[in-house]
Amino acid sequence: MATREWNPGELLEISGFFWKTCVLQAAVKLDVFTVIGDGRPTAGEIAQKVDGAVNGVERLLNALVAMELLAKTDDKYTNTPSGKALLAKDSSKYLGHIIMHHHHLLESWSKLDQAVKSGKPQRTRSSFSKEEWRESFLMGMFNMAMGLAPRIVPAIDVSSRQHLLDLGGGPGTYAIHFCLSNDALKATVYDLPTTRPFAERTIQQFKLADRINFMDGNYLEDPVAGRYDVAWLSHILHGEGPADCRMIIQKTVDALEPGGMIIIHDFILNNSMDGPLFPALFSLNMLLGTESGQAYSEEQITDMLAAAGARDIRRIAIQSPNDSGIIVGYV
Ligand SMILES: C[S@@+](CC[C@H](N)C(=O)[O-])C[C@H]1O[C@@H](n2cnc3c(N)ncnc32)[C@H](O)[C@@H]1O
């Protein structure tokens, strides 16, 4: 591969990109896009509504205009159509939860050097952190999965399946989309008890409470009760070390009927562990946030599945914005 040539401008763009990150996150945190709504308020009017200092709010708004996230005419600010659709709380496409989750990761990322030196996390695991952070994490997962599930679920054939286990299913977004794709399918979302209210709310929102139930459990400590003919493990392996991943996969395989299908969805590295970019960065995010989590390669996941007795293991081709991938096996 040809060596990339860098110029100072490109390097400084990477180094300073967090300024833009912070502008977006502050605007979401202060709920600027919802406050503006369909109106044309001045900086002073917005400052009053967000309980901010006019000199600060005005500069934030002007930076948002410069970033083309807002528009400004005659000292009045308006939402752009996409800004309103994606960043105002009353929109069904609201991405604020995942943006706030990213905001909560910032402090730990600023200590990446310390994590690299010590090999130790620099924050509490999102699943076990305080309520407000857990909500952004879990509903952030909903934000992400709502974008991806309608695209990847059709690529996976569950048409002959009857009971899906969504292990570490969070708010249940994938269980919901699998059930929407197959009227005969029931699903069980298995997750920590603290996740239950979020999952139940989401399942209710899609009117699927008669087909999707929530099971409290800790997959590191508890058994996986019930029998299933398909299991979906999305973005859970990266939170655990290799030994726990093997144990989780074994528990799942043991809960499957003969002929059952196990599907792993995660940020999958290539076998030399140095790309694609997002999984490589995500592995650092797991260094910062977990005791032993990491991104795994296709070879590592395949080996874990084979060790648990899965066969016919193969990768399903999907297009995903963050280079997530899918590996399936059968028992
Ligand atoms: C990154 S989220 C993925 C959520 C969902 N599968 C998705 O792809 O949108 C990881 C999920 O695993 C759950 N989880 C983490 N540790 C767990 C454990 N020990 N037992 C059960 N669930 C756990 C978290 O609560 C969270 O819902």
Side-chain angles (χ1 to χ4, degrees), residues 37-54:
D38 292 318
R40 292 181 69 238
T42 62
E45 287 162 345
I46 295 169
Q48 224 175 19
K49 289 204 173 139
V50 304
D51 196 20
V54 180

Side-chain angles (χ1 to χ4, degrees), residues 77-296:
Y77 297 87
T78 49
N79 271 313
T80 62
S82 54
K84 182 162 188 294
L86 301 174
L87 299 168
K89 258 192 188 141
D90 46 11
S91 162
S92 61
K93 294 183 181 159
Y94 180 62
L95 287 180
H97 300 294
I98 190 70
I99 292 172
M100 285 310 296
H101 171 58
H102 289 158
H103 180 60
H104 299 146
L105 303 182
L106 262 186
E107 193 184 340
S108 64
W109 270 91
S110 73
K111 297 188 222 154
L112 181 57
D113 58 324
Q114 293 174 41
V116 168
K117 275 180 124 174
S118 65
K120 298 278 178 225
Q122 303 294 315
R123 61 173 192 258
T124 310
R125 267 191 83 154
S126 305
S127 327
F128 299 92
S129 64
K130 54 187 173 183
E131 170 97 26
E132 184 200 338
W133 287 34
R134 220 162 6 85
E135 173 165 17
S136 315
F137 168 61
L138 290 170
M139 296 319 289
M141 294 306 111
F142 175 71
N143 283 163
M144 302 288 283
M146 279 301 286
L148 198 52
R151 284 199 276 147
I152 60 176
V153 164
I156 306 163
D157 185 9
V158 294
S159 56
S160 63
R161 309 280 157 180
Q162 291 174 356
H163 195 176
L164 175 129
L165 168 67
D166 188 354
L167 194 69
T173 331
Y174 286 101
I176 289 166
H177 280 85
F178 279 114
C179 283
L180 291 175
S181 79
N182 172 0
D183 289 343
L185 191 69
K186 285 188 303 173
T188 297
V189 176
Y190 179 113
D191 208 294
L192 299 166
T194 44
T195 303
R196 178 184 280 275
F198 300 98
E200 288 186 340
R201 201 186 322 138
T202 313
I203 293 162
Q204 192 60 48
Q205 197 181 316
F206 284 83
K207 303 195 180 354
L208 285 168
D210 54 335
R211 288 168 59 202
I212 306 179
N213 70 319
F214 185 90
M215 192 190 289
D216 292 330
N218 179 334
Y219 46 58
L220 295 177
E221 294 168 5
D222 304 326
V224 175
R227 304 295 296 161
Y228 308 89
D229 57 2
V230 52
W232 168 254
L233 282 64
S234 174
H235 293 318
I236 64 169
L237 295 186
H238 64 229
E240 317 299 336
D244 283 333
C245 288
R246 283 176 194 273
M247 188 253 289
I248 292 167
I249 291 176
Q250 189 67 62
K251 277 186 189 178
T252 307
V253 164
D254 292 346
L256 284 171
E257 304 281 6
M261 184 182 189
I262 176 165
I263 316 165
I264 310 286
H265 174 228
D266 220 314
F267 301 119
I268 303 177
L269 285 166
N270 56 34
N271 292 337
S272 53
M273 311 294 279
D274 53 3
L277 176 61
F278 192 85
L281 293 173
F282 199 83
S283 211
L284 286 171
N285 192 40
M286 290 298 96
L287 178 72
L288 290 163
T290 64
E291 281 297 330
S292 49
Q294 62 166 94
Y296 293 98

Side-chain angles (χ1 to χ4, degrees), residues 237 249 264 266-269 296-306 313 327:
L237 295 186
I249 291 176
I264 310 286
D266 220 314
F267 301 119
I268 303 177
L269 285 166
Y296 293 98
S297 69
E298 180 169 342
E299 195 170 55
Q300 287 173 320
I301 295 173
T302 302
D303 287 351
M304 289 176 194
L305 284 167
I313 301 164
I327 299 178

